[in-house]
Amino acid sequence: MKNPEAQQDVSLSQGIRMMFYVMKPNETTFQTPEEVPDYVKQATPFFISLMLLELAVSWIRKGKPPGRLDDALTSISAGVVSRLPSLFFRSIELTSYIYIWENYRLFSLPWDSPWTWYLTFLGVDFGYYWFHRMAHEVNIMWAAHQTHHSSEDYNLSTALRQSVFQIYTSWIFYSPLALVIPPSVYAVHLQFNLLYQFWIHTEVIDNLGPLELILNTPSHHRVHHGRNRYCIDKKYAGTLIIWDRIFGTFEAENKKVVYGLTHPINTFDPLKVQFHHLVYMWTTFWATPGFFNKFSVVFKGPGWGPGKPRLGLSEDIPEVTGKEVPFSSLASYLLKIYAVVHFAVMLTFYEETFAEKATLTQVALLLRVCFIILTLTSIGFILDQRYKSCLVDLSLIFLLVCKEGLTPRVHFLCFIFWIFFSICIAFWGVRSMKQLASGLWK
């Protein structure tokens, strides 16, 4: 029997509790996957609220924001890109699970039992630990997961920096649960496990005392995001830190953590953030002699090389001095404000696309996705100070304004954006336009 309450919005109390994985079994038990709410989608206002709270706390305690605008825009852009495939396809993590459940299950645990709920909590978290560990130890999986680690800041926006490809390997590690656990229970915990990991991406929370023994906390996860040698390949936990303690990947936070990739990519281009390691792998694959060596490039660790152990050598990891300066945009404050306005227009278009996807054709969806990707790329170019992005902006906004069928709100935002673009062009001045012209003809 379908639960009539399933698709209703969560209450304020439920929304707060779902972000910390403290929902009750009787609140989140459903008979079929179709009844399970989209908790991640409903969490959007709580993402925003927690980021504003982090900003306020950081400003009060340290007198500065918890991160940089350019890095935050890039992180949120990656989150936007990671969700675009869901406009066309159902999540492979759930689709594959349902297929295994329907064809190969050994027996069925009761979907409405609290014991099933708690067992699934442990099972999903255990599966996540091993997926996360393999995402660091298998190069082809790291090519996707590195997107999340490319931020040199550590704040709540970093949690949104997700890979568009990661879900195409993560489903494998949850598949054994489909032999006994109903898909509806799995669908709930898959979302809660993800939501829990949002709040631990912050520096405003120090140590949580006894909770550090059991739960994954901001202190634990800061180590995981570090590029210090003592942080590499440590702390893969989702919700429970016990897996790291059991399997020998625990390392306490001690020296100041420096965040990001061991070899920073120094760009805000969202496409490079997503795909640069795949390009590196492709080049390395063809440059490495021998079939087994080529195989190792794909399936051994990202630090592997001929004659090295599976995960590479620790001495190949650059030493951290503590004086590292994160890569920052040299764009003026005006240009950064311009990028924020541009980004706000894109987000409005993005949200309306998801809201209207049932009424849009596949061609219309594809065109909208292309527009979103081009817009994000243009913003990345602006932050990277690649001036040829200006003509891309003009083309994009002109096409959007001329597009019929858009809501008055989007047209109004586009008009405001057009005026703002003109003001920015005027302030850039002759020198900037000369740089633009020279860049276009390179």
Side-chain angles (χ1 to χ4, degrees):
M1 185 171 119
K2 188 169 182 175
N3 185 341
E5 303 295 322
Q7 295 303 329
Q8 291 186 2
D9 290 342
V10 297
S11 67
L12 177 61
S13 169
Q14 290 175 325
I16 295 172
R17 287 185 290 116
M18 76 181 182
M19 299 299 293
F20 299 94
Y21 218 141
V22 287
M23 294 281 272
K24 301 174 184 177
N26 62 352
E27 294 178 286
T28 56
T29 297
F30 308 98
Q31 186 171 4
T32 65
E34 290 73 23
E35 296 176 72
V36 177
D38 189 343
Y39 290 111
V40 174
K41 181 179 180 181
Q42 295 188 35
T44 299
F46 299 97
F47 290 152
I48 296 170
S49 299
L50 286 174
M51 285 192 283
L52 291 175
L53 179 61
E54 179 190 41
L55 175 62
V57 172
S58 178
W59 206 282
I60 292 169
R61 290 178 56 185
K62 301 179 180 180
K64 62 179 183 179
R68 295 161 298 138
L69 176 64
D70 44 26
D71 190 85
L73 285 179
T74 306
S75 293
I76 300 172
S77 295
V80 167
V81 172
S82 72
R83 285 197 65 207
L84 293 179
S86 64
L87 286 169
F88 304 96
F89 315 107
R90 192 177 187 180
S91 167
I92 190 173
E93 289 176 313
L94 190 56
T95 303
S96 59
Y97 191 96
I98 292 172
Y99 177 81
I100 296 170
W101 166 262
E102 291 179 344
N103 293 279
Y104 301 105
R105 70 176 180 265
L106 302 178
F107 58 88
S108 305
L109 292 175
W111 63 270
D112 54 353
S113 168
W115 290 106
T116 303
W117 197 94
Y118 288 115
L119 178 63
T120 309
F121 160 71
L122 289 173
V124 168
D125 203 49
F126 181 73
Y128 179 82
Y129 171 86
W130 283 106
F131 152 69
H132 196 185
R133 183 167 177 171
M134 291 303 102
H136 282 256
E137 296 186 0
V138 177
N139 206 15
I140 189 64
M141 294 176 66
W142 171 248
H145 187 62
Q146 60 79 31
T147 299
H148 182 59
H149 283 265
S150 60
S151 173
E152 294 182 88
D153 288 343
Y154 189 77
N155 52 52
L156 293 179
S157 72
T158 306
L160 303 178
R161 188 180 287 226
Q162 298 293 330
S163 166
V164 69
F165 287 135
Q166 185 165 283
I167 61 171
Y168 298 105
T169 54
S170 60
W171 66 271
I172 299 169
F173 298 86
Y174 302 121
S175 296
L177 300 175
L179 300 176
V180 296
I181 292 174
S184 61
V185 189
Y186 164 75
V188 167
H189 287 279
L190 187 65
Q191 295 185 77
F192 286 167
N193 190 276
L194 176 65
L195 291 175
Y196 177 89
Q197 294 178 55
F198 177 76
W199 75 274
I200 62 177
H201 289 81
T202 186
E203 290 188 294
V204 301
I205 298 175
D206 297 323
N207 190 285
L208 294 178
L211 293 178
E212 303 279 343
L213 298 174
I214 301 172
L215 297 177
N216 193 13
T217 65
S219 175
H220 291 321
H221 204 59
R222 284 193 289 269
V223 172
H224 177 71
H225 271 259
R227 55 183 165 118
N228 314 58
R229 287 185 179 178
Y230 86 92
C231 298
I232 301 300
D233 296 333
K234 301 296 181 183
K235 290 186 171 174
Y236 301 110
T239 303
L240 300 174
I241 201 65
I242 60 172
W243 310 122
D244 285 292
R245 297 182 185 278
I246 292 171
F247 297 110
T249 51
F250 182 87
E251 186 69 43
E253 182 181 27
N254 47 70
K255 296 180 182 177
K256 178 177 170 55
V257 177
V258 177
Y259 305 106
L261 301 172
T262 57
H263 298 84
I265 55 176
N266 295 338
T267 184
F268 300 109
D269 178 355
L271 295 182
K272 188 172 181 181
V273 168
Q274 291 283 345
F275 305 123
H276 80 96
H277 195 77
L278 280 173
V279 175
Y280 169 77
M281 277 186 62
W282 177 263
T283 304
T284 305
F285 179 87
W286 290 111
T288 303
F291 173 80
F292 289 106
N293 283 339
K294 291 182 185 296
F295 181 87
S296 297
V297 167
V298 178
F299 294 106
K300 289 187 177 180
W304 177 87
K308 297 179 181 179
R310 182 176 68 89
L311 298 181
L313 298 169
S314 61
E315 50 263 37
D316 290 342
I317 300 169
E319 283 276 16
V320 166
T321 64
K323 299 179 181 179
E324 286 75 13
V325 178
F327 176 73
S328 296
S329 173
L330 297 177
S332 66
Y333 284 113
L334 181 64
L335 270 179
K336 289 180 179 178
I337 294 172
Y338 166 76
V340 170
V341 175
H342 197 170
F343 193 80
V345 173
M346 183 283 304
L347 276 183
T348 303
F349 186 75
Y350 165 82
E351 289 294 337
E352 292 201 354
T353 298
F354 271 88
E356 300 168 4
K357 72 174 184 177
T359 63
L360 296 172
T361 66
Q362 293 289 295
V363 173
L365 282 175
L366 181 61
L367 290 174
R368 286 181 175 228
V369 166
C370 289
F371 181 89
I372 290 168
I373 292 173
L374 282 172
T375 302
L376 294 176
T377 302
S378 179
I379 293 171
F381 283 179
I382 290 169
L383 296 175
D384 280 353
Q385 289 286 268
R386 294 161 71 175
Y387 285 91
K388 61 185 178 182
S389 65
C390 298
L391 290 187
V392 178
D393 279 352
L394 277 172
S395 302
L396 286 172
I397 203 65
F398 179 75
L399 289 173
L400 187 55
V401 170
C402 293
K403 179 75 174 68
E404 295 182 0
L406 295 178
T407 63
R409 180 173 59 164
V410 173
H411 275 295
F412 176 74
L413 286 172
C414 291
F415 176 74
I416 296 298
F417 178 78
W418 179 273
I419 297 299
F420 198 80
F421 180 87
S422 301
I423 293 172
C424 288
I425 289 292
F427 273 95
W428 282 346
V430 177
R431 181 170 175 270
S432 296
M433 295 310 294
K434 285 181 177 178
Q435 289 176 304
L436 168 61
S438 63
L440 286 171
W441 298 106
K442 281 183 181 179

